[in-house]
């Protein structure tokens, strides 16, 4: 070991939720050490809302990929995850969606006591700095700027109008109640610039003498002594270092990174750990299981005239609706993409737009496993896309619903032809084939360290790892099921809740 450092709390991975925890602990007067595998978020490209896609594969992306997906024509899929202060908020689509009341009520009913809508809704108001008119349902004084699109370009406006014509009610603020309907999207931005979790929460206090930030530091394991987490070991510049936690270790390494780190630390399924020669500290069979993601597929149209310049980032409208047979409703989200977006790269039109159809509550699930005991090896990721046939049928239905929007008069002056699936793809068998060829990760991975009290749960409702003292998880891995929308909003919520749990534990001594 080259050095040993110490703090009250050690936060591993300054992801979306982790950034929230850091700020709240600093505000309470605690010493906090942040250990982040990637660099800082000072790269100017991060602030540019149009550069998110360009950052994929860069130094701020883990650049993970899945195992071949048998039900998706054995394709391997990218798993872009932020590797920087701010986590995936440095390269995501910036879309802010709280999710539906039914999501959180289902979490609570499944064993996540205290996570029902009535319990968590005040936290959303606390974190928001919403730029809309005063509204009792929205927060306006929080750290996170939420920006409306008040001047949508003509094509975005036409898409929303067409969705209304197709029967989806217009919803002026999908985050103030029922999210169903057609809406202009809200973004985590201020004056048109991306706001990352780190900049929103930690930026104003980053010079605090209580804060120690260690970047480009790859955590290799959590240190467990006497059944309690006491710190972490990390690798930096070829040297091994330790930072000890006098109170707690908080993992915010994400849905793919957190289960890997738990297993490297001896926390996980016994047989799998033994296979890799890792001593078992806690047999938790649910670690790495329950991997959930929004399955997505694209409907692409060629336009008959030039595409307008997007006002925000090219992801600026949506409609949310119920599906047939989904375990939780609403179950469908369609995001307007100002451009041609498809995993199928052949015969794409030169100009066009896309309806990205997302299945919000898929039945299919996958897992995360270790490739080896080497912490620098990537995890083995199997999304299990379409392994439950109900998801295939639901996506076929969803494609038809998206097509119905494009057929409305409001889009007639824009649509030249349907590029994908294409006008020749009409019967259900050919649509199933198209979905298998085009289905992709929604990049909204959750669930691999889910909360609950049953034998497969990894953390309790206060986000403490079962059977290990002083170890808490604050990221999307704790979500039992995906929310009805993009996951960054609920990740902020988890950070606020985790911080509240930590501070109340300290205050009450339990």
């Amino acid at each position: 070991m080259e050095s040993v450092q110490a703090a009250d709390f050690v936060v591993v991975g300054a992801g979306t939720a982790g950034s929230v925890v850091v700020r709240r602990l600093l505000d309470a007067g605690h010493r906090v050490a942040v250990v982040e595998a990637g660099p800082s978020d000072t790269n100017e490209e991060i602030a540019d809302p149009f550069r998110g896609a360009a950052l994929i594969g860069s130094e701020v992306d883990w650049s993970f990929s899945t195992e071949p997906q048998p039900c998706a024509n054995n394709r391997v899929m990218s798993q872009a995850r932020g590797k920087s202060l701010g986590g995936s908020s440095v390269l995501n689509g910036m879309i802010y969606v709280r999710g539906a009341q039914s999501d959180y009520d289902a979490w609570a009913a499944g064993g996540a006591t205290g996570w029902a809508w009535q319990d968590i809704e005040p936290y959303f108001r606390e974190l928001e700095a919403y730029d809309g008119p005063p509204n009792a349902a929205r927060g306006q004084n929080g750290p996170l700027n939420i920006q409306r699109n008040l001047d949508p370009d003509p094509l975005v406006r036409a898409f929303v109008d067409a969705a209304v014509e197709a029967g989806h009610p217009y919803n002026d603020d999908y985050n103030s109640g029922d999210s169903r309907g057609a809406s202009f999207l809200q973004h985590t931005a201020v004056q048109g610039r991306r706001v990352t979790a780190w900049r929103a929460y930690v930026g104003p206090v980053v010079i605090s003498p209580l804060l120690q930030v260690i970047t480009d530091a790859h955590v290799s394991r959590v240190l467990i002594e006497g059944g309690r987490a006491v710190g972490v070991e990390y690798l930096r510049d070829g040297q091994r270092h330790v930072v000890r936690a006098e109170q707690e270790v908080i993992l915010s390494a994400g849905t793919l990174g957190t289960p890997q780190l738990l297993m490297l630390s001896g926390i996980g399924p016994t047989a799998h750990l033994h296979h890799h020669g890792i001593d078992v500290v806690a047999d938790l069979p649910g670690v790495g299981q329950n991997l959930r993601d929004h399955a997505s597929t694209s409907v692409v149209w060629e336009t008959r005239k030039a595409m307008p310049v997007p006002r925000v980032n090219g992801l600026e409208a949506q409609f949310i609706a119920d599906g047939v047979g989904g375990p939780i409703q609403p179950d469908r989200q369609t995001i307007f993409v100002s451009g041609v977006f498809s995993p199928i790269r052949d015969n794409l039109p030169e100009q066009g737009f896309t309806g990205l159809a997302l299945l919000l509550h898929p039945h299919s699930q996958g897992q995360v496993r270790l490739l080896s005991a080497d912490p620098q090896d990537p995890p083995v990721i199997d999304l299990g896309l379409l392994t439950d046939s109900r998801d295939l049928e639901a996506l076929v239905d969803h494609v038809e619903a998206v097509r119905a929007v494009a057929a409305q008069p409001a889009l007639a002056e824009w649509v030249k032809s349907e590029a994908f699936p294409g006008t020749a793809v009409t019967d259900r068998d050919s649509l199933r084939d198209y979905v298998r060829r085009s289905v992709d990760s929604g990049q909204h991975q959750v669930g691999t360290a889910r909360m609950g009290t049953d034998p497969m749960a990894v953390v309790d409702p206060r986000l403490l790892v079962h059977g290990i003292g002083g170890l808490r998880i604050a990221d999307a891995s704790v979500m039992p099921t995906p929310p009805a929308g993009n996951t960054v909003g609920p990740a902020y919520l988890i950070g606020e809740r985790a911080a509240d749990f930590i501070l109340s534990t300290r205050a009450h001594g339990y």
Side-chain angles (χ1 to χ4, degrees), residues 70 104 113 126 229 281 313 354 373 376 428 449 479 487:
Y104 303 101
T113 306
E126 182 179 348
V281 174
N313 66 349
T354 305
Q376 306 216 59
R428 200 160 183 92
M479 298 184 193
T487 48

Side-chain angles (χ1 to χ4, degrees), residues 105-115 450-454 457 459-462 480:
D105 289 346
W107 291 4
T113 306
W115 286 82
R450 72 169 175 85
M451 59 178 148
T453 55
D454 62 277
V459 297
D460 68 17
R462 295 177 67 84

Side-chain angles (χ1 to χ4, degrees), residues 378-389:
V380 177
I381 304 162
D382 179 8
L383 287 178
L385 274 178
L386 303 185
T387 50
D388 190 308
S389 61

Side-chain angles (χ1 to χ4, degrees), residues 144-422:
L144 182 66
N145 288 90
I146 310 298
Q147 177 181 285
R148 295 171 297 158
N149 184 0
L150 297 177
D151 183 29
D153 70 62
L155 180 52
V156 170
R157 188 176 296 279
F159 181 84
V160 170
D161 290 344
V164 172
E165 290 174 342
H168 301 278
Y170 177 68
N171 190 335
D172 186 58
D173 182 7
Y174 57 86
N175 283 316
S176 63
D178 193 336
S179 61
R180 295 169 178 87
S183 307
F184 299 107
L185 284 166
Q186 299 169 17
H187 299 88
T188 51
V190 59
Q191 296 181 344
R193 305 290 280 172
R194 177 190 295 272
V195 176
T196 70
W198 184 261
R199 293 182 187 185
Y201 274 83
V202 187
V205 296
V206 74
I207 63 171
S208 170
L210 299 172
L211 176 63
Q212 180 183 9
V213 181
I214 307 166
T215 54
D216 301 304
H218 193 115
V219 173
S220 53
R221 64 187 176 113
V222 178
L223 301 175
I224 312 291
E225 296 176 3
R228 184 176 183 84
V230 297
V232 301
E233 178 185 279
Y234 66 92
L235 308 174
R236 192 168 192 256
D237 298 328
Q239 300 293 318
R240 294 184 181 272
H241 306 263
V242 166
V243 57
R244 296 186 68 87
E246 296 183 3
Q247 297 194 39
E248 282 190 16
V249 174
I250 299 101
L251 301 185
S252 184
T255 296
L256 307 179
T258 285
Q260 181 187 27
L261 187 52
L262 288 172
M263 290 185 281
L264 289 170
S265 307
I267 303 167
T270 292
H272 185 63
L273 300 183
H274 282 169
H275 175 75
H276 290 292
I278 298 172
D279 293 333
V280 177
V281 174
D283 177 21
L284 289 182
V287 172
Q289 296 298 306
N290 191 53
L291 175 59
R292 312 279 186 130
D293 192 8
H294 291 153
S296 72
T297 192
S298 300
V299 184
V300 179
W301 296 273
E302 183 176 10
T303 51
R304 61 177 77 250
K305 56 183 180 179
M307 294 283 293
V309 177
R311 302 289 199 262
V312 183
N313 66 349
L315 307 172
E316 299 175 19
Q318 69 172 11
F319 64 87
I320 290 179
D322 291 347
V324 177
I328 305 170
Q329 300 293 347
D331 198 37
R332 296 177 183 172
Q333 179 188 27
T334 302
I335 297 175
F336 172 87
V337 182
S338 183
V340 174
F341 180 82
S342 174
I344 302 171
R345 307 310 302 168
D346 297 331
N347 301 315
L348 291 173
E350 292 185 5
Q351 62 179 26
F353 66 95
T354 305
L356 185 63
L358 293 153
L359 183 60
L360 298 177
H361 300 108
H363 295 274
S364 303
Q365 55 184 283
Q367 62 179 354
V368 173
R369 282 288 178 261
L370 295 177
L371 177 62
S372 76
D374 184 342
Q376 306 216 59
D377 278 341
V380 177
I381 304 162
D382 179 8
L383 287 178
L385 274 178
L386 303 185
T387 50
D388 190 308
S389 61
R390 290 173 290 183
D391 296 343
L392 176 61
E393 300 305 315
L395 277 173
V396 169
D397 292 340
H398 200 349
V399 168
E400 294 282 45
V402 177
R403 281 174 148 178
V405 170
Q408 300 304 314
L411 281 169
E413 66 176 292
W414 293 96
V415 174
K416 179 179 179 181
S417 64
E418 182 184 285
F420 291 114

